[in-house]
Amino acid sequence: MTAPDLPALHPEYLERVDLARLEPHPRVDHPPRILLLYGSLRPRSFSRLLVLEAERILKALGAETRIFDPTGLPVADSVPATHPKVQELRALSLWSEGQVWCSPERHGNITAVFKNQIDWLPLSEGSIRPTQGRTLAVMQVSGGSQSFNSVNALRVLGRWMRMFAIPNQSSVPMAYTQFGDDDRMKPSPLYDRMVDVMEELMKFTWLLRDRADYLVDRYSERRQDHRPPEAR
């Protein structure tokens, strides 16, 4: 590709959009694989209860799901990455094609329990990227009035982890009023919004999972690896 008047560019690593790769064929047809993470160790954790409700909807929509239990996950970098809980978390992230992140809001931000899980996930490990290209839905629970601090922080975190965060999100205020004695979420507009978010996540996962590798293929990385587009 010729690139006049671009002296800093290495044109041999620049690639025009390949429309054929945006319409992959054949498409994979297994159920979308969704990993759900929550951010509290309390016996009655409302972020866990919301994740369980989300999982029920995802299963009804045809997803295969896994929920990671953060109990026993050490503080990041306090033990080797060979620790069984770390390996479990990383394996689940690699398995996933989409993820749901749900954190309580504490002091205006996500909890340490939630952030610790993401801190154990490397951006890359050799040629493997455990989160890159996955779809992401974000949710939060609050003990007080409506807030979006945690979902906003989760979006920043998801972007840093090179994920595709869907537009919709769920924020549940006064979460202790939204779940009954049976730990099921009560019917309400807040429940309906959570359902909306899971529907949207499924659609985006079906849309993007076959295209993810191409969508995140970058000029800078091709140049770093000395890998021109024709070599792929």
Side-chain angles (χ1 to χ4, degrees):
M1 180 184 299
T2 59
D5 301 322
L6 298 171
L9 183 74
H10 290 255
E12 65 271 26
Y13 300 115
L14 187 65
E15 181 181 25
R16 293 188 184 276
V17 175
D18 184 346
L19 296 180
R21 296 191 69 190
L22 291 175
E23 295 297 335
H25 184 78
R27 302 283 301 275
V28 296
D29 58 3
H30 62 258
R33 300 193 293 254
I34 308 297
L35 170 64
L36 300 95
L37 305 178
Y38 61 93
S40 172
L41 302 180
R42 290 179 177 177
R44 192 171 190 241
S45 160
F46 292 109
S47 63
R48 182 177 63 84
L49 294 183
L50 185 57
V51 154
L52 288 170
E53 291 292 346
E55 182 188 38
R56 294 180 182 104
I57 298 301
L58 289 169
K59 286 183 174 180
L61 292 169
E64 183 179 359
T65 62
R66 301 283 189 276
I67 297 176
F68 177 73
D69 180 358
T71 303
L73 180 68
V75 173
D77 299 328
S78 67
V79 298
T82 53
H83 189 282
K85 288 296 288 188
V86 177
Q87 290 296 299
E88 177 189 355
L89 175 60
R90 291 186 177 185
L92 286 172
S93 188
L94 285 171
W95 166 85
S96 72
E97 297 167 330
Q99 298 188 15
V100 177
W101 293 357
C102 181
S103 177
E105 181 168 319
R106 178 167 294 173
H107 301 316
N109 213 316
I110 62 175
T111 61
V113 170
F114 191 91
K115 182 61 163 53
N116 187 51
Q117 295 171 77
I118 308 307
D119 286 344
W120 272 117
L121 295 174
L123 275 175
S124 63
E125 194 169 27
S127 62
I128 297 173
R129 293 177 169 86
T131 56
Q132 177 168 280
R134 274 76 173 170
T135 52
L136 173 65
V138 296
M139 306 193 297
Q140 75 167 77
V141 294
S142 304
S145 59
Q146 183 68 280
S147 173
F148 302 99
N149 290 328
S150 286
V151 286
N152 289 339
L154 291 172
R155 286 186 179 279
V156 171
L157 194 54
R159 183 172 69 244
W160 185 261
M161 301 304 292
R162 300 177 178 177
M163 303 174 79
F164 296 114
I166 67 171
N168 214 340
Q169 60 189 24
S170 171
S171 176
V172 178
M174 295 185 287
Y176 59 90
T177 68
Q178 297 301 316
F179 292 86
D181 293 337
D182 59 356
D183 287 342
R184 296 300 304 272
M185 194 172 183
K186 300 174 183 177
S188 73
L190 295 170
Y191 178 85
D192 295 345
R193 171 59 70 90
M194 180 273 296
V195 176
D196 290 347
V197 174
M198 295 306 109
E199 280 188 339
E200 192 171 287
L201 176 65
M202 285 290 285
K203 293 173 185 176
F204 273 91
T205 304
W206 276 108
L207 179 68
L208 293 177
R209 67 178 180 176
D210 290 296
R211 301 167 169 87
D213 288 343
Y214 179 56
L215 292 173
V216 299
D217 185 35
R218 299 178 176 88
Y219 162 82
S220 60
E221 294 176 357
R222 290 194 297 272
R223 183 187 170 200
Q224 177 181 316
D225 298 339
H226 303 289
R227 177 174 51 89
E230 294 79 11
R232 286 184 294 103

